[in-house]
Amino acid sequence: MEKVVEKKSVSANSKTKQIALDAMFVALTLVFTALVNIQVPSFGGAGGLIHLGNVPLLIAAMVYGKRTGALAGGLGMGLFDLLSGWAVWAPCTIITNGLIGYVVGAICKNRKNMFYKILAIVATLVIKIAGYFTFESFIMGNGMAAAVKSIPGDVIQVVVAGVIVLIIVTPLEKGLRFLEQ
């Protein structure tokens, strides 16, 4: 009887840890998006933000997988949009960045090789451009020419985050493995 109770508490402890990790990365993504950003003026496009919210999003997905990555991206950046006056963009942000977290987590699952991390960042760039381009040009009705003008901001955002993540994710993974022992 004790073993059954013990297994349930370990399972409950594991679920609690997962919920805490998910919540922490949602919060980090929200904070990094809100506090470390530069608003880009509109040059015929929607303008937008260059922010560092992709850093905790990519780390969450690479280290903890697609669930944590999807929640961090979708909820963290979606909450930012809802709380900061960008609510019209929230559906696109939730879908696009949730998908980014999921795909990055899937690419990096059980793969610690730098090749897969770089591949995941390239996938991030493709998904970010495709998601926001589609939303801006077709759903917002701004047209393709306007949507193209928003692409440089997306590229800068992902490349800067990608470089930061590539520098810190491997030492971070090693440190986390040490803590979990």
Side-chain angles (χ1 to χ4, degrees):
M1 186 90 156
E2 286 181 33
K3 286 187 177 184
V4 173
V5 173
E6 193 173 303
K7 285 184 180 182
K8 284 184 181 179
S9 66
V10 169
S11 178
N13 186 31
S14 178
K15 287 181 183 180
T16 302
K17 180 181 173 185
Q18 184 64 54
I19 291 168
L21 278 169
D22 293 345
M24 179 184 73
F25 277 105
V26 167
L28 285 171
T29 302
L30 171 61
V31 168
F32 273 59
T33 304
L35 298 182
V36 189
N37 70 54
I38 301 167
Q39 187 161 354
V40 178
S42 175
F43 298 106
L49 290 176
I50 296 174
H51 59 78
L52 291 182
N54 290 299
V55 172
L57 159 57
L58 291 170
I59 290 171
M62 288 178 182
V63 176
Y64 292 104
K66 47 193 178 188
R67 172 197 160 107
T68 303
L71 290 171
L75 292 179
M77 289 188 201
L79 282 169
F80 169 79
D81 282 356
L82 291 171
L83 297 172
S84 63
W86 297 76
V88 70
W89 289 92
C92 176
T93 296
I94 291 166
I95 293 166
T96 301
N97 290 294
L99 182 61
I100 287 169
Y102 187 88
V103 169
V104 169
I107 290 171
C108 293
K109 182 178 181 177
N110 301 321
R111 298 178 178 129
K112 301 303 176 193
N113 185 308
M114 191 60 69
F115 169 79
Y116 292 102
K117 291 174 177 134
I118 293 169
L119 180 63
I121 291 167
V122 171
T124 297
L125 184 59
V126 170
I127 294 166
K128 176 108 30 197
I129 290 171
Y132 283 97
F133 179 87
T134 300
F135 187 79
E136 184 174 355
S137 61
F138 298 113
I139 297 170
M140 294 288 289
N142 293 341
M144 286 190 205
V148 166
K149 293 178 183 177
S150 296
I151 291 174
D154 293 335
V155 172
I156 292 168
Q157 190 181 116
V158 172
V159 169
V160 168
V163 168
I164 293 169
V165 168
L166 289 175
I167 291 169
I168 65 173
V169 74
T170 300
L172 184 61
E173 286 172 329
K174 288 178 183 176
L176 291 170
R177 276 195 297 267
F178 175 77
L179 289 174
E180 290 175 356
Q181 292 178 354

